[in-house]
Amino acid sequence: LLLLADEAHSSAPAGGECAEGGALEDTREPCSSMLAPTESGFGLLFLDACMRDVCRSGQGLLEHYEAFAKQAFHEYAAEAQGRRKCSFKREPMGVGYYWDPLCRSRTSKGPGGWSLGCGADGLHHECRLCGGRGSYANITCPGNAGPAGPQDP
């Protein structure tokens, strides 16, 4: 990562001007607001790289960073966040669970519909069930967050 960071610094636009006009600092807010939804700070590890790349290549790269941050969070941090933040009275059997910051449970306020498995602990919309053989089989569990205990028939 350090080599990539050095490369990003050396290829920054001369004079601080970005490809679409403006300055490098102008890309902080769009990158920060797009990377922050993971709620763990995990996506913000990519803030400097996002700022430089968007400055160099334009706003279209924001979508790339958003997809990358979501995938990295899902693969490396969602399970740990679920273990830390989900509060079950009894550990679910036959299904896994993880933290999904984009989850919408039936009791979520705001636009959009609900997502299957969200609000699993009854306290946090972001706590999501996954895996098993039943209703949540098509929801991929990250890492080792797969089902524990006997599987549903």
Side-chain angles (χ1 to χ4, degrees):
L1 273 178
L2 292 177
L3 291 175
L4 293 174
D6 287 341
E7 183 179 302
H9 286 287
S10 66
S11 58
E17 287 293 317
C18 294
E20 296 178 355
L24 177 64
E25 191 60 30
D26 296 338
T27 63
R28 176 176 296 280
E29 180 55 35
C31 284
S32 180
S33 64
M34 181 273 308
L35 292 169
T38 60
E39 293 183 7
S40 66
F42 188 81
L44 294 177
L45 294 173
F46 307 103
L47 180 59
D48 187 55
C50 177
M51 288 172 58
R52 292 184 180 286
D53 287 347
V54 170
C55 182
R56 253 195 337 262
S57 302
Q59 294 292 315
L61 273 181
L62 276 175
E63 292 174 10
H64 167 76
Y65 271 92
E66 180 178 30
F68 178 72
K70 285 177 185 176
Q71 180 182 0
F73 177 81
H74 185 76
E75 292 296 322
Y76 301 108
E79 176 190 3
Q81 290 283 12
R83 299 277 177 229
R84 201 178 96 224
K85 292 183 174 184
C86 294
S87 301
F88 292 100
K89 290 182 182 181
R90 288 192 327 232
E91 191 81 8
M93 299 298 285
V95 294
Y97 65 91
Y98 66 100
W99 194 259
D100 183 351
L102 302 176
C103 234
R104 305 291 300 167
S105 70
R106 290 178 189 213
T107 60
S108 297
K109 293 183 176 134
W114 64 279
S115 304
L116 181 65
C118 296
D121 65 354
L123 299 171
H124 305 97
H125 302 297
E126 301 87 354
C127 188
R128 188 171 200 178
L129 296 175
C130 60
R133 294 186 190 159
S135 301
Y136 312 108
N138 290 331
I139 301 171
T140 305
C141 294
N144 296 319
Q151 300 290 305
D152 294 334

